[in-house]
Amino acid sequence: MKSIARVICTTLIFLAMATPTSAGGKMLVGWLEKARISPGNLLVRAKLDTGAKTCSLGVHSFAEFTRHGEPWVRFDVKNKYGDKITLEKKVQRVVRIKRHGGELQNRPVVLLGICLGYLYKEIEVNLVDRTDFN
C-alpha cells in the first residue's frame, strides 16, 4: 500500500481540522482539512480552494539540482508540530504562477502522494519556498 501524504493545494495550503465524511458516494470536505504526504507520512493542515487550477505545497530549504541529466528538487516539508520530512523529487515541469501583486513566479512541479480522508491520489504539486512564513 502506498504511504500517506502532505500537501497544500491551492486546493491544499496548511491549515485544517475537520474530518472528511461521505454522502451519497461522494466525499464531503470542508475548507480546512488534515492531509498526509507520501512518501513520509507527514500529517499537515490543508486549505482547500475549489477555484484553484493547481495544488501548491509550501516548502522549506528548497534546492534544485541535476540527477542523471534531469532536473530534480530537494525540499523540506514541516507541519505545525515541527515534524519535518526531506524529499527529493524529479521535476515534471515548471509552471508560471501569477502572484497577488501581479508578478509571475516560476515553480517546479513534482508528483506527490496525498491522502485526504479515505482518498489517496498521486497528484502534481507546484512547490513554493515558504521559509520566511509561519
Side-chain angles (χ1 to χ4, degrees), residues 17-63:
M17 285 298 157
T19 302
T21 59
S22 63
K26 294 183 179 183
M27 183 168 49
L28 299 176
V29 295
W31 178 59
L32 302 173
E33 294 290 349
K34 292 179 182 176
R36 289 191 179 267
I37 294 179
S38 177
N41 197 29
L42 184 67
L43 183 65
V44 297
R45 295 186 310 172
K47 175 181 154 191
L48 283 72
D49 179 354
T50 58
K53 293 180 182 177
T54 61
C55 294
S56 298
L57 176 63
V59 301
H60 302 268
S61 303
F62 180 87

Side-chain angles (χ1 to χ4, degrees), residues 10-132:
T10 335
T11 315
L12 296 173
I13 290 184
F14 325 126
L15 285 163
M17 285 298 157
T19 302
T21 59
S22 63
K26 294 183 179 183
M27 183 168 49
L28 299 176
V29 295
W31 178 59
L32 302 173
E33 294 290 349
K34 292 179 182 176
R36 289 191 179 267
I37 294 179
S38 177
N41 197 29
L42 184 67
L43 183 65
V44 297
R45 295 186 310 172
K47 175 181 154 191
L48 283 72
D49 179 354
T50 58
K53 293 180 182 177
T54 61
C55 294
S56 298
L57 176 63
V59 301
H60 302 268
S61 303
F62 180 87
E64 297 179 83
F65 62 98
T66 301
R67 179 178 286 164
H68 306 297
E70 296 182 312
W72 281 64
V73 64
R74 178 183 306 109
F75 54 95
D76 294 337
V77 182
K78 298 178 185 178
N79 66 16
K80 71 176 187 173
Y81 306 109
D83 300 324
K84 176 182 90 166
I85 57 172
T86 300
L87 298 172
E88 291 183 353
K89 298 299 250 173
K90 181 180 172 188
V91 175
Q92 302 295 309
R93 61 192 175 95
V94 175
V95 294
R96 291 182 64 95
I97 302 292
K98 186 174 181 180
R99 301 193 53 175
H100 296 292
E103 89 183 60
L104 292 174
Q105 182 181 49
N106 291 329
R107 296 184 187 174
V109 174
V110 299
L111 286 176
L112 278 181
I114 302 299
C115 187
L116 182 64
Y118 58 82
L119 180 63
Y120 174 88
K121 286 195 173 198
E122 285 192 5
I123 62 171
E124 285 191 338
V125 178
N126 72 69
L127 305 177
V128 57
D129 187 347
R130 299 219 185 259
T131 303
D132 298 329

